[in-house]
Structure formats: structure tokens, C-alpha cells
Amino acid sequence: MPSEIQHRYVVIGAGAIGGCIGGVLARANAPVLLVARGRNAEVLAAEGLTMHTPDGPFHVSVAVASIEEVRLTHADVLVFATKTQQLDAALREWVDRPVVAADGTVATAGECLPVLTALNGVAAEELALRYFARVYGVCVWCPAAHIEPGEVIVRSWPVVGQFHISRWPASIGTAQDTDFLAALQTSWSRAGIIVRLPEDVAPWKYNKLLLNLSNVIGALAQPGADVDWLRDAVIREGEDVLRCLRIEFVPFETSTAARVDGPTPRTVPGFRSAPGDSTSQSLRRRTGNVETDYLNGEIVRMAHRAGTSAPVNAALTRAARAAARGGMSPGGYTAQQLSDLVNRVE
């Protein structure tokens, strides 16, 4: 039977994914707390969250706090929804936070609280295991964007996303994990996030990693540029590296079929064009960094580990770092410039 504990979901990072998770859970009256910073935190606290959806805007009252204001209990679940390049700092901020039990005993978050890693790439779970004993990997499919403070653009409604989740690593899963995930599945699916519980989420995350390799191309290429050949090349190179290392990934046919139940992106009124993927959003907000090092860069890392190279992914990773450092807006490269970039000798 699922756990009878009424969990509170503490969502760390209130951007596109974190804001979407927090918003739909709050609309469904599930206990949720958004942890945000800066201007985004100010707007959320003062005005709530605005969710722009294909069915119109929804205003959601959400509980929001800074890390200093959060008092943790054993009913809490930490949901990390930062970018991967920001994750290590966030994990270190939370690992030693005190968790007070009903009898007054105190443990640390790292010792006793479950952690969900709702991030792209495949590095987050191993990072989390450095600090937390109970880690659950999440493969995120959620077409959402965060451009302005206090707002998220959700391109699918009422099903906003589909998450595959399992204990990380799957080999250490217990009956406690089964009960916890069953309770989460019920709560989140009711809110509009379809939750699937595969035996092992790792092959799903590697599938998503391959799909995310083209994010950097969408961020760098001018609108309308003919870059389909490059998308094919970067994914093909990624597949070759995974096969070289005998890393299992879910076939694209399987992942496409899994999304039939949603999410289904549609046009959002007031936003004529899609806001782009997470890499484009980071460039647009001029954050100074992008997660490409943990997407295309992950393929480069694995290639180096195998004693080979991944020149297409390496070239695009370098270009993404330069674009972020230089404050470049999305769409700074023509198709020819990208062709020249990846055809240089590494």
C-alpha cells in the first residue's frame, strides 16, 4: 500500500520546470513550496504565479520561500529543478539542513529526505548521491518556458508533462521506494503531470539526453536556418558514443509512443512563436551560462573516456560557452557558420 504520509514537495528552482511543477501541484491543492531567488521570488511572493497555457492564463497562489525560511520535516520531499550547472551548489545548500521529527529528534536532509532530480542530462543523479542517501532519477518531458519573473509559459494543457521516475540506482530499490513512488504518481498525475514508473529510469534519461543534444543548435541557429542535417549528425554521434560504451537507451520509437498520452504542445495565446528550449531561454535571459556542458559535453566526456572523440558535439559545446560568456542572444549563427564551425578539425 502507498505511504500514508502527506508529503510536501519543496521545489528548488522556480524556473520553467520548477514553476510548472509547483503551479500545477498548487492548483490541485497538493502541499508544495517553491524556493526561489531574486526578482522571481519577489514577484511570486507578492503576486503569485502566472501560468500562460494554450487554454489561457491561470493565476496560481503558491507558497514561496527562501532557503533560510524553510523548516523541514520528515514529510518533505526535495525536488531539484535547477539547471545542472547550478545543481552542485544547490545540493550543498540543502544537504545539512536540519529535519525535525515529531519526537523532537533532529537529522539532516541528506540522511533522511527523498530527493527528486527533475533535470536534463544524466549527471544530476550521481551528483546528488554525493550528498543524499535517497535519490530518485527523473526523465522530464515538459514543454515549458520561463522568461519573465513570476511567469511560466506552459505549451501543453491540462496535461503539462510526463515524467519517468525510479530509484537511482534502480538496483537498490526497496518496498519503501515502491510505496513512495506510488503515492507520488497518484498526486502528480491528478495535478496534470503523468508519472510513469519504469524499473530503471536510466535508459529513459539517456534517450532524453540524445534528444536534448539538438537544443544547442536551436539556440545558436538563426530562425529558419536549414540545420536538420546538423541535428541528425549530433544525435548520430551521440548514439555512436553510447553504443561504444554499451550504454542502454530507450529507442526513439518507444519514447515517441509513450508521449501519445501527453504532453501535447499547442500555441499559447499571446506567444505566437515557441519560446525555445532551455538553452535558448538561458541565452535570452543572459544568465552567463548554459547547460550544454552537461548535454553535448556529456557525450564529449564519455567519448574521451572511451579513448575517442565526439567532434561535432565538442564544437557545439565550445560555441555555446562562447555565446553565454559573450551575452549573445539566440540565433546568432547562420547555417553556413554552423557548418564551418563543426567541420573544423578538432
PDB file of all heavy atoms in Angstrom, residues 49-62:
ATOM      1  N   LEU A  49       1.915  33.085  -9.047  1.00  0.00           N
ATOM      2  CA  LEU A  49       2.467  32.580 -10.301  1.00  0.00           C
ATOM      3  C   LEU A  49       1.443  32.708 -11.418  1.00  0.00           C
ATOM      4  O   LEU A  49       0.286  32.320 -11.250  1.00  0.00           O
ATOM      5  CB  LEU A  49       2.864  31.105 -10.143  1.00  0.00           C
ATOM      6  CG  LEU A  49       3.340  30.363 -11.392  1.00  0.00           C
ATOM      7  CD1 LEU A  49       4.691  30.908 -11.855  1.00  0.00           C
ATOM      8  CD2 LEU A  49       3.427  28.864 -11.126  1.00  0.00           C
ATOM      9  N   THR A  50       1.873  33.230 -12.553  1.00  0.00           N
ATOM     10  CA  THR A  50       1.028  33.278 -13.745  1.00  0.00           C
ATOM     11  C   THR A  50       1.471  32.181 -14.699  1.00  0.00           C
ATOM     12  O   THR A  50       2.629  32.138 -15.108  1.00  0.00           O
ATOM     13  CB  THR A  50       1.116  34.637 -14.449  1.00  0.00           C
ATOM     14  OG1 THR A  50       0.690  35.668 -13.554  1.00  0.00           O
ATOM     15  CG2 THR A  50       0.220  34.659 -15.682  1.00  0.00           C
ATOM     16  N   MET A  51       0.530  31.285 -15.023  1.00  0.00           N
ATOM     17  CA  MET A  51       0.798  30.201 -15.958  1.00  0.00           C
ATOM     18  C   MET A  51       0.093  30.515 -17.269  1.00  0.00           C
ATOM     19  O   MET A  51      -1.142  30.523 -17.329  1.00  0.00           O
ATOM     20  CB  MET A  51       0.311  28.867 -15.384  1.00  0.00           C
ATOM     21  CG  MET A  51       0.888  28.531 -14.025  1.00  0.00           C
ATOM     22  SD  MET A  51       0.376  26.882 -13.432  1.00  0.00           S
ATOM     23  CE  MET A  51       1.393  25.844 -14.498  1.00  0.00           C
ATOM     24  N   HIS A  52       0.872  30.800 -18.303  1.00  0.00           N
ATOM     25  CA  HIS A  52       0.312  31.049 -19.635  1.00  0.00           C
ATOM     26  C   HIS A  52       0.175  29.700 -20.338  1.00  0.00           C
ATOM     27  O   HIS A  52       1.174  29.023 -20.592  1.00  0.00           O
ATOM     28  CB  HIS A  52       1.228  31.972 -20.428  1.00  0.00           C
ATOM     29  CG  HIS A  52       1.419  33.323 -19.810  1.00  0.00           C
ATOM     30  ND1 HIS A  52       0.473  34.314 -19.898  1.00  0.00           N
ATOM     31  CD2 HIS A  52       2.452  33.829 -19.081  1.00  0.00           C
ATOM     32  CE1 HIS A  52       0.908  35.400 -19.266  1.00  0.00           C
ATOM     33  NE2 HIS A  52       2.105  35.129 -18.753  1.00  0.00           N
ATOM     34  N   THR A  53      -1.052  29.305 -20.657  1.00  0.00           N
ATOM     35  CA  THR A  53      -1.312  27.986 -21.226  1.00  0.00           C
ATOM     36  C   THR A  53      -2.071  28.112 -22.541  1.00  0.00           C
ATOM     37  O   THR A  53      -2.600  29.192 -22.864  1.00  0.00           O
ATOM     38  CB  THR A  53      -2.143  27.123 -20.254  1.00  0.00           C
ATOM     39  OG1 THR A  53      -3.534  27.452 -20.391  1.00  0.00           O
ATOM     40  CG2 THR A  53      -1.717  27.323 -18.814  1.00  0.00           C
ATOM     41  N   PRO A  54      -2.182  27.033 -23.321  1.00  0.00           N
ATOM     42  CA  PRO A  54      -2.978  27.085 -24.554  1.00  0.00           C
ATOM     43  C   PRO A  54      -4.443  27.414 -24.307  1.00  0.00           C
ATOM     44  O   PRO A  54      -5.130  27.880 -25.227  1.00  0.00           O
ATOM     45  CB  PRO A  54      -2.818  25.663 -25.128  1.00  0.00           C
ATOM     46  CG  PRO A  54      -1.513  25.186 -24.594  1.00  0.00           C
ATOM     47  CD  PRO A  54      -1.432  25.763 -23.211  1.00  0.00           C
ATOM     48  N   ASP A  55      -4.928  27.174 -23.085  1.00  0.00           N
ATOM     49  CA  ASP A  55      -6.309  27.489 -22.749  1.00  0.00           C
ATOM     50  C   ASP A  55      -6.446  28.830 -22.043  1.00  0.00           C
ATOM     51  O   ASP A  55      -7.486  29.120 -21.445  1.00  0.00           O
ATOM     52  CB  ASP A  55      -6.904  26.385 -21.862  1.00  0.00           C
ATOM     53  CG  ASP A  55      -7.059  25.073 -22.613  1.00  0.00           C
ATOM     54  OD1 ASP A  55      -6.960  25.075 -23.858  1.00  0.00           O
ATOM     55  OD2 ASP A  55      -7.252  24.034 -21.959  1.00  0.00           O
ATOM     56  N   GLY A  56      -5.418  29.648 -22.102  1.00  0.00           N
ATOM     57  CA  GLY A  56      -5.451  30.960 -21.476  1.00  0.00           C
ATOM     58  C   GLY A  56      -4.611  31.004 -20.219  1.00  0.00           C
ATOM     59  O   GLY A  56      -4.083  29.984 -19.757  1.00  0.00           O
ATOM     60  N   PRO A  57      -4.480  32.196 -19.613  1.00  0.00           N
ATOM     61  CA  PRO A  57      -3.645  32.336 -18.418  1.00  0.00           C
ATOM     62  C   PRO A  57      -4.386  31.888 -17.149  1.00  0.00           C
ATOM     63  O   PRO A  57      -5.603  32.043 -17.035  1.00  0.00           O
ATOM     64  CB  PRO A  57      -3.355  33.838 -18.371  1.00  0.00           C
ATOM     65  CG  PRO A  57      -4.526  34.458 -19.059  1.00  0.00           C
ATOM     66  CD  PRO A  57      -4.970  33.485 -20.117  1.00  0.00           C
ATOM     67  N   PHE A  58      -3.621  31.334 -16.244  1.00  0.00           N
ATOM     68  CA  PHE A  58      -4.145  30.968 -14.926  1.00  0.00           C
ATOM     69  C   PHE A  58      -3.264  31.620 -13.874  1.00  0.00           C
ATOM     70  O   PHE A  58      -2.033  31.564 -13.958  1.00  0.00           O
ATOM     71  CB  PHE A  58      -4.140  29.453 -14.727  1.00  0.00           C
ATOM     72  CG  PHE A  58      -5.080  28.710 -15.630  1.00  0.00           C
ATOM     73  CD1 PHE A  58      -4.653  28.238 -16.858  1.00  0.00           C
ATOM     74  CD2 PHE A  58      -6.395  28.490 -15.254  1.00  0.00           C
ATOM     75  CE1 PHE A  58      -5.506  27.550 -17.699  1.00  0.00           C
ATOM     76  CE2 PHE A  58      -7.270  27.808 -16.090  1.00  0.00           C
ATOM     77  CZ  PHE A  58      -6.823  27.331 -17.308  1.00  0.00           C
ATOM     78  N   HIS A  59      -3.913  32.227 -12.891  1.00  0.00           N
ATOM     79  CA  HIS A  59      -3.178  32.821 -11.778  1.00  0.00           C
ATOM     80  C   HIS A  59      -3.231  31.850 -10.610  1.00  0.00           C
ATOM     81  O   HIS A  59      -4.304  31.415 -10.199  1.00  0.00           O
ATOM     82  CB  HIS A  59      -3.779  34.169 -11.365  1.00  0.00           C
ATOM     83  CG  HIS A  59      -3.012  34.852 -10.279  1.00  0.00           C
ATOM     84  ND1 HIS A  59      -1.831  35.519 -10.503  1.00  0.00           N
ATOM     85  CD2 HIS A  59      -3.261  34.950  -8.940  1.00  0.00           C
ATOM     86  CE1 HIS A  59      -1.386  36.010  -9.366  1.00  0.00           C
ATOM     87  NE2 HIS A  59      -2.224  35.672  -8.401  1.00  0.00           N
ATOM     88  N   VAL A  60      -2.074  31.499 -10.083  1.00  0.00           N
ATOM     89  CA  VAL A  60      -1.981  30.484  -9.036  1.00  0.00           C
ATOM     90  C   VAL A  60      -1.311  31.080  -7.809  1.00  0.00           C
ATOM     91  O   VAL A  60      -0.220  31.662  -7.899  1.00  0.00           O
ATOM     92  CB  VAL A  60      -1.163  29.266  -9.520  1.00  0.00           C
ATOM     93  CG1 VAL A  60      -1.160  28.176  -8.454  1.00  0.00           C
ATOM     94  CG2 VAL A  60      -1.711  28.730 -10.835  1.00  0.00           C
ATOM     95  N   SER A  61      -1.964  30.944  -6.668  1.00  0.00           N
ATOM     96  CA  SER A  61      -1.347  31.341  -5.400  1.00  0.00           C
ATOM     97  C   SER A  61      -0.439  30.213  -4.947  1.00  0.00           C
ATOM     98  O   SER A  61      -0.891  29.077  -4.757  1.00  0.00           O
ATOM     99  CB  SER A  61      -2.417  31.615  -4.338  1.00  0.00           C
ATOM    100  OG  SER A  61      -3.204  32.727  -4.696  1.00  0.00           O
ATOM    101  N   VAL A  62       0.833  30.501  -4.792  1.00  0.00           N
ATOM    102  CA  VAL A  62       1.797  29.478  -4.396  1.00  0.00           C
ATOM    103  C   VAL A  62       2.525  29.928  -3.142  1.00  0.00           C
ATOM    104  O   VAL A  62       2.760  31.123  -2.934  1.00  0.00           O
ATOM    105  CB  VAL A  62       2.819  29.202  -5.520  1.00  0.00           C
ATOM    106  CG1 VAL A  62       2.152  28.561  -6.722  1.00  0.00           C
ATOM    107  CG2 VAL A  62       3.542  30.479  -5.932  1.00  0.00           C
TER     108      VAL A  62
END
